[in-house]
């Protein structure tokens, strides 16, 4: 193999090792310890939010958010048809029904113009997903949510540091949720977080996160549970890793934006390639630079991916549209755009560690395969 270029890899250095080492040595290896609160405060500050609640992963953050909002059986939650399956699964866990809406052809995000058509008496919330880091049209979504009195939950699991109209993703809606999985823009290994400005929601989510254990003042009230909660806690060691990663987040995002710029420059003459485009007045973190391949090239996205693999370049097919997969294929129709994008799309190597020559090499190979 000519190259060894991963699609995504974490950048973990000396600072990360030092803080994790400190957390381990402190003896506070479970979910109590100084790094938990520090990571929650620092990440909430970074996004421009008041409260942060760390979780065991991003999927649990979504489930906790929906539970905190009181969403359950009989309710409907609007989600885009093109997203990672955890967005839909979190809705399903609550007993509510995810209702998939078509995406915009250019941004690949939920199309606000189509949302109203899917609103029923049962609709309680809209979940927005800035796909691959690309911000959603939150202005238009906010207007619809207010008109129908719906909650907005941001699944910002891919959008650390992305900006819409001067505000960071993760600062929109009633609750926003993040993932810190190993391939996300910053990582804690496994991990997630809910952010909100609402004290009441913060307290509800904290309650459910810690086994539903009622906060106590008197000794005799310890281990009193008013609700069936979960254990969705992050460990202090993970939070230590997160604190170190957060100190370096601008470096990671700058590198990802540079990657995207170089791909656009090097592939600009390839007419069969279309990039995922940002919405007006927004800036993606370019977590994953993603493109679609036009049928006119005679090469499918899957063929391109497997040819690149042969020379040691790792890529990723896009998420399958939810409506294509067994758990969500029932009562889904008229979702042709998301299905088409998901079948013709591919995500290119997007690590913050990539060099300019890595990207030039990827582009040279893409042009060779498509020629
Ligand atoms: C990664 C991701 C999640 C889930 O996060 P985990 O930490 O893997 O549970 C949810 N939604 C989206 C859009 C994601 O990309």
């Amino acid at each position: 193999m000519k190259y060894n270029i991963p699609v995504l890899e974490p950048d973990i250095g000396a600072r990360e090792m030092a803080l994790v080492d400190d957390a381990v040595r402190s003896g506070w290896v479970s979910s109590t310890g100084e790094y938990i609160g520090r990571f929650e405060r620092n990440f909430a500050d970074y996004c421009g939010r008041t409260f942060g609640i760390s979780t065991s992963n991003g999927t649990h953050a979504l489930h906790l958010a929906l539970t905190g909002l009181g969403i359950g059986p009989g309710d409907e939650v609007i989600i885009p048809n093109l997203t990672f399956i955890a967005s839909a699964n979190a809705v399903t866990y609550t007993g509510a029904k995810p209702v998939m809406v078509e995406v915009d052809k250019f941004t690949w995000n939920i199309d606000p113009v189509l949302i109203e058509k899917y609103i029923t008496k049962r609709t309680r919330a809209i979940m927005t997903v800035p796909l691959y880091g690309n911000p959603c049209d939150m202005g238009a979504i906010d207007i619809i949510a207010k008109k129908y009195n719906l909650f907005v939950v941001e699944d910002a699991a891919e959008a650390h540091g992305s900006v819409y109209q001067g505000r960071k993703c993760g600062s929109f809606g009633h609750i926003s949720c993040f993932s810190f999985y190993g391939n996300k823009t910053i990582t804690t290994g496994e991990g997630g977080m809910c952010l909100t400005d609402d004290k009441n929601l913060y307290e509800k989510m904290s309650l459910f996160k810690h086994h539903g254990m009622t906060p106590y003042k008197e000794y005799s009230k310890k281990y009193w549970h008013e609700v069936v909660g979960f254990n969705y806690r992050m460990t202090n060691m993970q939070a230590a890793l997160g604190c170190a990663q957060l100190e370096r987040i601008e470096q990671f995002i700058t590198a990802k934006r540079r990657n995207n710029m170089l791909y656009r420059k090097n592939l600009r003459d390839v007419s069969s390639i279309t990039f995922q485009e940002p919405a007006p007045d927004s800036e993606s973190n370019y977590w994953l630079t993603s493109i679609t391949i036009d049928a006119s090239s005679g090469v499918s996205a899957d063929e391109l991916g497997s040819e690149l693999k042969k020379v040691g370049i790792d890529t990723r097919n896009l998420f399958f549209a939810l409506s294509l997969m067994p758990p969500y294929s029932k009562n889904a129709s008229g979702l042709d755009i998301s299905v088409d994008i998901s079948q013709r799309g591919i995500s290119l190597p997007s690590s913050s560690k990539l060099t300019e020559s890595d990207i030039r090499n990827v582009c040279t190979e893409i042009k060779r395969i498509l020629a």
Side-chain angles (χ1 to χ4, degrees):
M1 275 199 284
K2 262 163 107 173
Y3 313 103
N4 179 18
I5 302 180
V7 66
L8 285 169
E9 68 177 328
D11 181 344
I12 292 166
R15 180 66 176 161
E16 283 81 353
M17 311 260 211
L19 296 198
V20 173
D21 187 66
D22 183 53
V24 174
R25 282 172 202 275
S26 76
W28 296 99
V29 290
S30 288
S31 51
T32 316
E34 62 157 321
Y35 287 106
I36 297 279
R38 189 160 132 194
F39 185 46
E40 290 174 338
R41 276 191 308 278
N42 291 355
F43 192 71
D45 276 355
Y46 174 76
C47 296
R49 281 283 211 194
T50 313
F51 302 105
I53 300 176
S54 58
T55 60
S56 29
N57 57 56
T59 309
H60 288 165
L62 290 168
H63 185 215
L64 190 63
L66 295 167
T67 305
L69 293 169
I71 289 168
D75 296 335
E76 291 178 359
V77 176
I78 287 184
I79 61 169
N81 193 37
L82 193 58
T83 178
F84 181 54
I85 197 159
S87 317
N89 286 349
V91 176
T92 306
Y93 299 158
T94 68
K97 184 179 141 199
V99 175
M100 285 92 74
V101 171
E102 187 57 290
V103 302
D104 176 81
K105 208 163 109 179
F106 300 102
T107 65
W108 308 358
N109 284 330
I110 194 164
D111 188 342
V113 174
L114 301 176
I115 291 177
E116 275 191 278
K117 218 172 68 183
Y118 291 86
I119 293 175
T120 70
K121 288 200 305 283
R122 295 166 180 269
T123 310
R124 298 283 311 285
I126 302 170
M127 186 187 287
T128 59
V129 185
L131 196 73
Y132 303 127
N134 201 26
C136 300
D137 185 352
M138 296 312 291
I141 289 161
D142 192 46
I143 291 169
I144 298 164
K146 289 216 170 82
K147 180 167 165 193
Y148 292 93
N149 200 21
L150 304 175
F151 294 119
V152 174
V153 175
E154 236 195 319
D155 177 357
E158 303 175 356
H160 319 66
S162 298
V163 177
Y164 171 84
Q165 293 189 350
R167 269 174 68 185
K168 288 225 172 67
C169 285
S171 70
F172 295 95
H174 296 82
I175 303 173
S176 46
C177 302
F178 283 88
S179 165
F180 305 111
Y181 185 66
N183 64 15
K184 300 288 160 83
T185 300
I186 59 169
T187 186
T188 60
E190 294 274 358
M193 200 176 300
C194 295
L195 301 179
T196 185
D197 297 321
D198 183 321
K199 185 147 186 282
N200 184 37
L201 286 175
Y202 168 73
E203 283 169 359
K204 263 204 189 128
M205 289 192 285
S206 301
L207 177 73
F208 278 98
K209 171 184 154 176
H210 298 283
H211 299 289
M213 195 177 329
T214 312
Y216 56 89
K217 288 208 184 68
E218 301 149 63
Y219 179 82
S220 61
K221 282 290 168 71
K222 229 168 150 173
Y223 293 101
W224 180 259
H225 307 262
E226 298 271 351
V227 295
V228 178
F230 324 111
N231 176 357
Y232 281 175
R233 298 183 299 232
M234 175 185 278
T235 68
N236 194 42
M237 298 175 289
Q238 292 169 299
L241 184 53
C243 285
Q245 288 265 289
L246 186 56
E247 291 173 10
R248 301 174 62 208
I249 192 167
E250 291 311 330
Q251 173 199 332
F252 300 151
I253 293 172
T254 302
K256 282 171 180 288
R257 288 183 175 148
R258 180 216 54 176
N259 292 346
N260 184 271
M261 190 267 292
L262 291 172
Y263 277 123
R264 284 177 193 269
K265 195 170 127 212
N266 286 300
L267 295 171
R268 130 193 96 200
D269 298 330
V270 186
S271 63
S272 55
I273 287 179
T274 309
F275 283 82
Q276 180 189 22
E277 286 301 333
D281 203 7
S282 70
E283 196 176 8
S284 180
N285 64 3
Y286 292 112
W287 173 57
L288 267 177
T289 287
S290 302
I291 58 174
T292 52
I293 313 293
D294 198 86
S296 67
S297 70
V299 177
S300 72
D302 284 345
E303 284 163 349
L304 176 62
S306 39
E307 286 303 312
L308 287 169
K309 188 85 200 159
K310 286 183 191 160
V311 292
I313 296 170
D314 201 14
T315 57
R316 229 166 83 162
N317 48 345
L318 294 200
F319 299 126
F320 285 98
L322 293 172
S323 59
L324 290 172
M325 295 184 284
Y328 300 110
S329 58
K330 269 184 290 187
N331 54 50
S333 61
L335 297 162
D336 304 341
I337 297 173
S338 35
V339 168
D340 177 57
I341 292 170
S342 83
Q343 289 175 338
R344 290 194 298 109
I346 185 166
S347 297
L348 303 177
S350 300
S351 293
S352 56
K353 281 178 161 179
L354 293 180
T355 63
E356 280 202 45
S357 88
D358 285 332
I359 294 181
R360 259 199 313 275
N361 288 334
V362 174
C363 295
T364 304
E365 295 297 333
I366 290 175
K367 288 190 217 170
R368 175 183 62 79
I369 296 161
L370 293 183

